[in-house]
């Protein structure tokens, strides 16, 4: 049987991560994978998470099966966090199931679309998160794209609206709720309203992917577009990840939320999601959901978590500002201006695949071929080296940038051997 397999395509991100792991140069920078690192280069366990884990360990709760929907208290907490429970009209219109991270939520909801709208097309942004298309196509869905950003690095609202006017009533439009991956480009509040207007007129269903809320403009500001859409459309799908804003990467903690017109429709949707989960993994792991629930239900832990999340966001913003400022000083004002507009963990540099290859081979700076780098993964003291390396491959002003980068590379090497 195995001899019949043809070589499958390798995952480009994990291939780059493996290449980084084999690189022995002391100056190397891993800006590929979407993980937050502190200034010492470590992905920390958040203090509120650690305290919640201690309390859970001391409580020694049973490890009995939770059921196909997972931790129900966690599901309620997720709906409350994402949609708000301030008496708005979305209350009572949502059903949720716990999932294996945000990826699991995307797949469960994709399968739900396939069951309920077998002829639907799922529209994803161009460019999109690298896993969006494979997940949707693996669920048997047709995928089309809509424009996301213009050459100047701004949200391309006219292009979005032109493309999405072709979306039919039974189609689904996948929108990243904030901190777009890979571009870091988010629509303005007015652009979000225009997208909601179009969804109402055309009848397509928004499918919101929330993976980075809290790391852009702040938790409430980052969730505002999702809450606005929920208040305006009759049906909506939301995939939520707790990997980034709770630091629960390896605990695989997520949630699939469905908004519907009636409680009966929501009960049917929840049962369908349960049945889909049953065939994929039966039920999700408990630990991460228990941690998130403990944090969100305790006022002290919730306040501490939000303060730490704000500190992470501030550090990401400072990194981006510093990199943009240094690129501007090196004579690359257009690249700096594009970078400065972006939000969240990722930035897309105005570099070609060949320039990204040079960045990797000549300067040991690892990003994706599309130009995406994880701005949250670099220590502050490494930003000068990153800026000089980028300047060296940008073209104009290349010699000055290359000389500065080479000098800094020598300094790093000397420190490592000394």
């Amino acid at each position: 049987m195995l001899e019949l397999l043809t070589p499958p395509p390798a995952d480009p991100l994990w291939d780059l991560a493996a290449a980084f792991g084999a690189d022995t140069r002391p100056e190397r920078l891993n800006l590929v994978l979407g993980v937050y690192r502190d200034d010492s280069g470590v992905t920390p366990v958040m203090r509120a998470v650690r305290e919640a884990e201690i309390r859970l360990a001391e409580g020694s709760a049973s490890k009995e099966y939770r059921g196909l929907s997972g931790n129900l208290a966690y599901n309620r907490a997720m709906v409350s966090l994402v949609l708000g429970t301030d008496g708005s009209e979305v209350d009572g219109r949502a059903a949720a199931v716990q999932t294996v991270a945000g990826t699991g939520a995307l797949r469960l909801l994709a399968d739900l679309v396939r069951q309920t709208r077998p002829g639907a097309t799922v529209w994803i942004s161009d460019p999109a998160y690298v896993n969006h298309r494979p997940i949707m196509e693996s669920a048997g869905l047709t995928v089309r794209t809509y424009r996301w950003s213009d050459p100047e690095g701004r949200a391309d609202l006219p292009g979005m609206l032109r493309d999405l006017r072709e979306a039919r009533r039974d189609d689904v439009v996948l929108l990243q709720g904030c901190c777009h991956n890979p571009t870091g480009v988010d629509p303005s509040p007015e652009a979000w309203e225009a997208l909601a207007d179009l969804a109402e007129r055309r009848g397509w269903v928004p499918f919101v992917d929330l993976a980075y809320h809290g790391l852009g403009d702040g938790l409430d500001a980052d969730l505002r577009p999702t809450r606005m859409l929920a208040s305006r459309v009759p049906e909506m799908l939301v995939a939520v990840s707790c990997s980034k804003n709770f630091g629960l990467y390896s605990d695989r903690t997520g949630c699939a939320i469905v908004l519907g017109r009636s409680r009966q429709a929501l009960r049917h949707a929840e049962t369908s999601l349960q049945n889909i989960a049953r065939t994929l993994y039966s039920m999700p792991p408990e630990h991460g959901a228990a941690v998130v629930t403990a944090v969100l239900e305790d006022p002290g832990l919730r306040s501490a978590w939000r303060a730490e999340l704000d500190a992470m966001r501030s550090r990401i913003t400072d990194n981006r500002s510093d990199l943009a400022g240094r690129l501007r000083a090196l004579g690359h004002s257009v690249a700096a201006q594009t970078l400065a507009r972006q939000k969240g963990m990722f930035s897309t540099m105005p570099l070609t695949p060949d320039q990204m290859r040079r960045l990797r081979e000549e300067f040991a700076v690892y990003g994706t071929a599309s130009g995406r780098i994880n701005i949250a993964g670099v220590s502050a003291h490494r930003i000068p080296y990153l800026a000089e390396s980028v300047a060296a491959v940008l073209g104009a002003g290349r010699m000055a940038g290359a000389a500065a980068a080479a000098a800094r590379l020598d300094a790093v090497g000397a420190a490592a051997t000394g």
Side-chain angles (χ1 to χ4, degrees):
M1 178 182 68
L2 299 183
E3 297 300 325
L4 300 176
L5 287 173
T6 57
D11 185 290
L13 297 187
W14 287 102
D15 260 11
L16 283 169
F20 174 84
D23 195 328
T24 59
R25 290 174 287 181
E27 69 275 12
R28 67 192 185 278
L29 273 175
N30 183 1
L31 307 180
V32 178
L33 298 180
V35 296
Y36 175 87
R37 297 188 182 94
D38 63 20
D39 218 38
S40 65
V42 172
T43 299
V45 177
M46 298 178 80
R47 291 183 293 276
V49 166
R50 178 72 74 198
E51 176 60 29
E53 290 180 317
I54 291 170
R55 295 182 190 181
L56 290 169
E58 290 174 345
S60 299
S62 170
K63 296 188 182 293
E64 183 182 357
Y65 288 131
R66 280 285 193 170
L68 298 178
S69 285
N71 186 321
L72 300 184
Y74 164 79
N75 294 336
R76 289 192 295 271
M78 283 291 98
V79 171
S80 175
L81 178 70
V82 171
L83 301 178
T85 52
D86 55 359
S88 68
E89 59 187 88
V90 299
D91 291 347
R93 285 186 51 221
V97 300
Q98 183 193 339
T99 62
V100 182
T103 301
L106 286 167
R107 179 54 193 263
L108 258 65
L109 292 168
D111 280 343
L112 182 67
V113 172
R114 182 73 177 86
Q115 285 184 6
T116 58
R117 298 184 174 205
T121 293
V122 175
W123 295 73
I124 66 173
S125 64
D126 180 17
Y129 165 53
V130 68
N131 217 12
H132 276 165
R133 180 182 287 273
I135 290 171
M136 299 300 136
E137 291 182 339
S138 293
L141 295 166
T142 300
V143 175
R144 291 184 64 180
T145 62
Y146 61 91
R147 279 166 283 187
W148 185 255
S149 54
D150 63 23
E152 285 72 43
R154 298 182 179 89
D156 184 4
L157 179 61
M160 289 181 208
L161 296 179
R162 277 196 298 272
D163 292 343
L164 290 177
R165 286 190 191 105
E166 296 185 29
R168 300 167 301 170
R169 178 165 294 277
D170 285 340
D171 286 352
V172 173
V173 175
L174 187 49
L175 298 157
Q176 295 187 47
C178 63
C179 306
H180 185 268
N181 176 4
T183 66
V185 174
D186 282 355
S188 66
E190 295 76 18
W192 278 112
E193 293 283 355
L195 288 168
D197 290 341
L198 187 60
E200 285 185 307
R201 289 199 308 271
R202 301 292 296 174
W204 46 257
V205 176
F207 184 166
V208 181
D209 184 5
L210 281 174
Y212 311 103
H213 42 303
L215 298 174
D217 291 324
L219 187 61
D220 290 324
D222 289 348
L223 290 171
R224 195 167 294 129
T226 301
R227 293 172 178 175
M228 180 274 296
L229 283 169
S231 72
R232 294 189 54 181
V233 298
E235 292 183 340
M236 190 167 84
L237 309 174
V238 187
V240 190
S241 171
C242 295
S243 293
K244 277 72 178 180
N245 59 6
F246 282 90
L248 295 173
Y249 301 93
S250 60
D251 285 323
R252 314 309 295 141
T253 309
C255 187
I257 300 173
V258 179
L259 269 75
R261 292 181 174 89
S262 69
R263 293 186 184 276
Q264 182 180 17
L266 291 172
R267 282 195 298 271
H268 293 166
E270 184 176 2
T271 302
S272 294
L273 290 171
Q274 290 172 338
N275 291 339
I276 295 165
R278 180 64 167 154
T279 65
L280 292 175
Y281 51 78
S282 192
M283 58 198 70
E286 162 67 7
H287 180 74
V291 168
V292 172
T293 305
V295 169
L296 294 180
E297 289 185 345
D298 181 278
L301 290 181
R302 186 179 183 121
S303 176
W305 165 67
R306 290 201 59 163
E308 193 165 0
L309 184 61
D310 282 342
M312 291 164 60
R313 173 178 58 83
S314 178
R315 183 177 169 276
I316 292 170
T317 301
D318 288 347
N319 274 2
R320 180 174 280 109
S321 245
D322 190 12
L323 179 57
R326 291 178 183 277
L327 285 174
R328 188 176 293 107
L330 288 166
H332 298 286
S333 58
V334 173
Q337 186 176 28
T338 299
L339 184 70
R341 294 191 193 104
Q342 298 169 3
K343 299 175 184 178
M345 291 180 67
F346 297 109
S347 285
T348 294
M349 303 296 301
L351 300 177
T352 66
D354 186 62
Q355 288 172 321
M356 291 302 293
R357 177 192 57 77
R358 285 190 55 214
L359 203 59
R360 180 175 70 253
E361 293 178 357
E362 298 176 27
F363 301 101
V365 175
Y366 285 74
T368 72
S370 67
R372 191 195 81 170
I373 60 169
N374 175 17
I375 199 74
V378 58
S379 302
H381 72 280
R382 301 301 310 279
I383 298 246
Y385 177 73
L386 174 60
E388 290 151 4
S389 300
V390 171
V393 301
L394 267 173
R398 177 178 170 228
M399 297 308 296
R408 191 168 292 277
L409 187 154
D410 291 340
V412 171
T417 56

